[in-house]
């Protein structure tokens, strides 16, 4: 049975002292890795995630190649939606397309419940393979959050402005809150199943919630997030929250019963602390800097680390996901630098 030998991410999430800053990268599995690109010539994302051996290989590859301190399960935020009656297809170059988008409360009421052991056994089997046999670092499971999932369900696919989603939210409050509850129930069941299968930490991606202002977030979103995190808190694994362009909501997340606030590159780590965020922090290199000359990248990373290392409870990550154009050697070199620099300079030993 596999045992976690490197638990620095779990310690940092609990704001405990670590010997070095733990690091992992959003979208580290796949995207820019040559081994993954070769697989994608033969298999689709859907086919990879439905084959536990193959999916476990893609998930653990970044740990082997980059020496990161955690793996994140290779799957898509759309993975649980077919289980509740959503007809979703992931199209190359476009992303998720919903063939039965939500237009009324009737559509919302027709959504069913997820039964993870029956509906997504391949996800749970992948987690067990990784955590029982293959990994010596924590495995991060994840789910999309209600607003982000509902944006796909209502828009019918990716959107730039989420106007249909917001119009539905404002015009159909009863339908909206029913949808939030149904998605909340699905997320709680789905995430608990991942934890019971062996996931050591969970990240909730509310990728597009930054489209909302604070007042609307508090009224339309925060109640369901309170319920989700309160229910998941009973599982006693670190819970991480992340969204893009959502730093104006960081203090709202700080109120929730979660452990780690994930920041994109728009708010410095020091500013988050100055504003009163008391949770552990994760972030927040602009992924575009991975395409910059090493000297430029190194200087920015040192600045972020210097802010993050001021007190326990810091995890290095990007402010969004790895681009396909990023050279894997850059990520390998960056991980080594973060480990070495933080080992030498940690203030709170």
């Amino acid at each position: 049975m596999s045992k976690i030998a490197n638990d620095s991410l779990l310690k940092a999430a609990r704001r405990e002292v670590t010997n070095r800053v733990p690091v992992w990268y959003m979208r580290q599995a796949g995207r820019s890795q040559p081994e993954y690109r070769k697989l994608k010539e033969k298999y689709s994302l859907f086919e990879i995630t439905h084959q536990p051996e193959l999916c476990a290989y893609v998930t653990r590859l970044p740990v082997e190649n980059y020496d990161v301190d955690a793996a994140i399960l290779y799957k898509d935020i759309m993975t649980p939606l077919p289980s509740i009656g959503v007809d979703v297809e992931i199209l190359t170059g476009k992303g998720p397309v919903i063939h039965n988008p939500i237009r009324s409360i009737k559509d919302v009421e027709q959504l069913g419940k997820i039964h993870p052991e029956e509906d997504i056994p391949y996800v749970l089997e992948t987690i067990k393979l990784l955590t029982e046999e293959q990994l010596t670092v924590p495995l991060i499971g994840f789910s999309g959050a209600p607003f982000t999932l509902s944006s796909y369900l209502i828009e019918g696919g990716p959107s730039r402005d989420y106007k249909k989603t917001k119009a539905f939210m404002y015009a159909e409050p009863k339908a909206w809150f029913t949808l939030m509850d149904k998605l909340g129930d699905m997320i709680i069941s789905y995430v608990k199943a991942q934890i019971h299968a062996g996931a050591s930490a969970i990240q909730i991606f509310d990728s597009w919630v930054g489209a909302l202002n604070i007042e609307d977030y508090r009224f339309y979103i925060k109640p369901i997030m309170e319920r989700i995190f309160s229910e998941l808190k009973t599982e006693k694994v670190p819970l991480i929250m992340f969204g893009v362009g959502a730093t104006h909501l960081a203090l709202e997340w700080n109120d929730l019963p979660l452990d780690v606030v994930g920041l994109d590159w728009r708010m410095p780590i020091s500013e988050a602390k100055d504003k009163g965020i008391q949770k552990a922090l994760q972030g927040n290199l602009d992924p575009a800097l991975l395409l910059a000359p090493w000297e430029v990248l190194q200087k920015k990373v040192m600045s972020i680390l210097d802010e993050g290392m001021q007190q326990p409870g810091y995890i290095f990550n990007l402010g969004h996901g790895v681009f396909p154009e990023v050279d894997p050697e850059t990520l390998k070199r960056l991980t080594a630098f973060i480990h070495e620099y933080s080992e030498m300079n940690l203030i709170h030993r």
Side-chain angles (χ1 to χ4, degrees):
M1 184 158 177
S2 178
K3 188 174 187 298
I4 295 176
N6 172 4
D7 64 349
S8 59
L9 177 128
L10 303 179
K11 284 182 172 177
R14 296 190 293 259
R15 291 185 290 165
E16 295 172 8
V17 172
T18 56
N19 290 328
R20 65 186 190 186
V21 168
V23 52
W24 69 280
Y25 307 109
M26 286 182 276
R27 292 186 183 153
Q28 64 186 18
R31 306 305 292 275
S32 66
Q33 294 181 291
E35 301 95 331
Y36 172 75
R37 288 183 174 185
K38 199 168 180 182
L39 274 179
K40 284 284 282 182
E41 291 172 12
K42 191 174 177 184
Y43 302 103
S44 67
L45 182 149
F46 181 87
E47 289 167 332
I48 293 171
T49 56
H50 280 66
Q51 297 180 61
E53 290 279 0
L54 205 53
C55 190
Y57 168 71
V58 173
T59 299
R60 74 172 191 270
L61 202 54
V63 181
E64 295 169 357
N65 288 359
Y66 307 146
D67 193 30
V68 286
D69 298 290
I72 183 161
L73 190 61
Y74 176 79
K75 61 185 175 71
D76 192 85
I77 63 167
M78 297 291 116
T79 298
L81 291 181
S83 310
I84 63 169
V86 178
D87 184 2
V88 57
E89 184 180 7
I90 297 175
L91 299 180
T92 303
K94 185 169 184 182
V97 174
I98 309 293
H99 297 298
N100 57 339
I102 284 172
R103 294 288 175 263
S104 66
I105 193 162
K106 186 181 173 188
D107 296 331
V108 175
E109 287 168 346
Q110 285 176 345
L111 294 173
K113 289 182 177 292
I114 190 170
H115 302 94
E117 288 74 15
E118 299 160 30
D119 296 330
I120 47 146
Y122 51 91
V123 171
L124 307 183
E125 196 177 326
T126 303
I127 293 172
K128 286 172 186 171
L129 260 179
L130 285 160
T131 58
E132 292 177 8
E133 298 175 22
Q134 299 178 0
L135 290 175
T136 57
V137 297
L139 175 68
I140 302 169
F142 71 87
S143 173
F147 179 84
T148 292
L149 293 174
S150 66
S151 77
Y152 288 103
L153 292 175
I154 295 166
E155 303 285 339
S159 171
R160 289 185 182 276
D161 50 28
Y162 311 100
K163 59 178 181 283
K164 287 181 187 172
T165 309
K166 291 202 263 187
F168 188 83
M169 184 178 81
Y170 294 135
E172 304 280 351
K174 185 183 175 190
W176 177 262
F177 286 114
T178 304
L179 178 58
M180 292 296 99
D181 278 335
K182 282 185 172 272
L183 290 174
D185 290 343
M186 180 198 78
I187 291 162
I188 290 162
S189 297
Y190 179 49
V191 169
K192 282 190 174 187
Q194 292 179 58
I195 295 166
H196 296 164
S200 300
I202 294 294
Q203 179 153 305
I204 301 295
F205 285 88
D206 212 347
S207 304
W208 315 135
V209 77
L212 297 183
N213 62 42
I214 293 174
E215 187 181 354
D216 286 346
Y217 183 84
R218 284 176 184 159
F219 184 74
Y220 292 103
I221 307 298
K222 202 168 181 182
I224 189 61
M225 300 310 291
E226 282 271 6
R227 180 159 79 84
I228 289 168
F229 283 116
S230 294
E231 293 243 14
L232 297 182
K233 197 76 177 163
T234 62
E235 299 296 330
K236 296 184 167 43
V237 304
L239 305 171
I240 309 167
M241 182 73 212
F242 176 74
V244 188
T247 47
H248 61 293
L249 303 175
L251 278 171
E252 301 302 312
W253 297 346
N254 189 61
D255 288 345
L256 296 170
L258 51 85
D259 302 282
V260 184
V261 172
L263 299 174
D264 72 9
W265 62 92
R266 294 168 177 87
M267 180 187 282
I269 302 290
S270 56
E271 186 184 331
K273 290 176 179 176
D274 289 345
K275 287 195 168 179
I277 293 178
Q278 294 153 340
K279 310 281 189 188
L281 291 169
Q282 177 178 280
N284 64 341
L285 181 74
D286 185 337
L289 277 156
L290 295 172
L291 305 175
W294 174 253
E295 297 72 26
V296 177
L297 172 59
Q298 185 183 47
K299 186 178 178 185
K300 184 60 183 173
V301 170
M302 285 166 64
S303 172
I304 293 170
L305 286 170
D306 288 343
E307 292 184 7
M309 291 189 298
Q310 294 296 318
Q311 58 201 61
Y314 174 61
I315 300 162
F316 189 96
N317 207 319
L318 306 176
H320 202 192
V322 173
F323 298 130
E325 300 88 347
V326 172
D327 184 347
E329 285 301 313
T330 301
L331 291 174
K332 186 176 180 179
R333 187 178 181 185
L334 177 58
T335 307
F337 175 74
I338 291 162
H339 285 157
E340 289 161 14
Y341 185 82
S342 62
E343 274 177 5
M344 286 192 309
N345 293 283
L346 264 174
I347 294 164
H348 52 71
R349 291 203 189 278

